[in-house]
Amino acid sequence: MQKRAEIKVYGRVQKAGFRDFIDEIAFNLNLNGYVKNLDDGTVQVVCEGEEAAISELLQKINVTQYPIRVENIEVTCKEPTGEYGTFELIRDEDLTTATYERMDVAARYIREMNSNLCQKMDSIGGKIDGLGGKMDSLGGKMDSLGGKIDFLGGKIDVLGGKIDSLGGKIDVFGGKVDSFGGKIDVLGNKIDLARVEITSEIRISRESLRSHLDERISVIERELALIRAKVVT
């Protein structure tokens, strides 16, 4: 809803860059009207626009920010006339006063920039401190991890020593197995040799027995033939 507000501001509001401050706020809120100094030391604002925008203007100009100190604000609301096409800062004082006020405005902007910069620097410093803390924490974790790796390395070294020792024992055992295998081979050779010798002896014995039996049978056959001949005659 469109409204018109006639505002009078009391306090340390002249020669402090207050009108420039109001002009900037009114511009950002899309309000039309004007702001000017009055002879009684107050600042007058007449503005038209959305009711919410006018309420926001009243909140933002009620400040105590060096060199401005607002002590009281009087507001009269009316129906808008539509007579203003923009918002205007009216300067009716002499050139020297206007120059000093512009210098005050410049000083205020510089202070605001410095304040904002300091806040950002503080924020960055806080983030850097936070990052430093995280880096310290990470460093501690890396140290802990390094300790665990060293401990694990020690265990691996011990395990390696045990494996080397076990390998030595396996080598010794392998040597014994090889030696035992050699002995088994020697025993096998001896068994084979004995088997050959026994087989040879058995064969010789069989041949001798056969020859002896053949000889005995021949003798018996001859004797039987002699006996048969005698019986017949």
Side-chain angles (χ1 to χ4, degrees):
M1 180 182 294
Q2 295 286 318
K3 289 288 184 179
R4 176 188 176 97
E6 296 179 356
I7 305 165
K8 192 172 185 179
V9 186
Y10 297 83
R12 184 177 177 177
V13 291
Q14 289 192 11
K15 301 178 182 178
F18 190 46
R19 289 178 300 173
D20 292 88
F21 179 66
I22 294 174
D23 182 45
E24 181 180 352
I25 295 173
F27 176 84
N28 292 332
L29 293 174
N30 199 29
L31 295 173
N32 297 326
Y34 66 88
V35 57
K36 71 175 184 177
N37 287 338
L38 298 180
D39 293 338
D40 60 0
T42 62
V43 171
Q44 182 185 43
V45 181
V46 176
C47 60
E48 294 183 355
E50 292 293 331
E51 184 176 4
I54 293 174
S55 296
E56 187 173 348
L57 172 74
L58 291 171
Q59 291 176 2
K60 289 186 174 182
I61 67 174
N62 189 14
V63 297
T64 298
Q65 178 181 333
Y66 181 82
I68 303 167
R69 180 185 293 112
V70 175
E71 297 176 355
N72 187 34
I73 299 177
E74 293 180 355
V75 183
T76 302
C77 293
K78 298 180 179 180
E79 291 299 319
T81 63
E83 59 184 294
Y84 307 109
T86 185
F87 196 88
E88 182 182 2
L89 192 163
I90 299 175
R91 302 185 187 276
D92 52 2
E93 64 272 7
D94 62 79
L95 181 60
T96 301
T97 302
T99 301
Y100 283 145
E101 186 170 4
R102 298 297 291 176
M103 292 174 64
D104 289 337
V105 172
R108 180 173 61 82
Y109 280 126
I110 292 172
R111 282 192 296 271
E112 288 180 357
M113 290 174 61
N114 184 58
S115 177
N116 292 335
L117 180 60
C118 289
Q119 290 177 2
K120 290 181 180 180
M121 291 298 292
D122 290 339
S123 177
I124 293 172
K127 291 180 179 179
I128 291 173
D129 291 338
L131 179 60
K134 291 182 179 179
M135 291 297 290
D136 291 338
S137 176
L138 179 61
K141 291 181 179 179
M142 291 297 291
D143 291 338
S144 176
L145 179 61
K148 291 181 179 179
I149 290 173
D150 291 338
F151 181 70
L152 179 61
K155 288 189 173 181
I156 291 173
D157 291 338
V158 171
L159 179 62
K162 291 182 178 179
I163 290 173
D164 291 338
S165 177
L166 179 61
K169 291 180 179 180
I170 290 172
D171 291 338
V172 172
F173 182 71
K176 291 182 179 180
V177 169
D178 292 339
S179 176
F180 184 68
K183 291 179 180 180
I184 291 175
D185 291 338
V186 171
L187 179 61
N189 291 333
K190 289 182 178 180
I191 291 172
D192 289 338
L193 181 60
R195 181 172 55 80
V196 170
E197 291 177 353
I198 291 170
T199 302
S200 177
E201 290 178 0
I202 290 173
R203 186 174 60 254
I204 293 171
S205 296
R206 287 171 58 190
E207 291 176 354
S208 297
L209 180 61
R210 180 180 300 170
S211 177
H212 178 69
L213 288 174
D214 289 341
E215 183 179 352
R216 293 296 297 171
I217 290 170
S218 296
V219 172
I220 291 171
E221 286 178 347
R222 286 195 300 271
E223 289 178 351
L224 286 175
L226 292 172
I227 293 170
R228 185 181 300 114
K230 289 179 179 180
V231 172
V232 171
T233 61

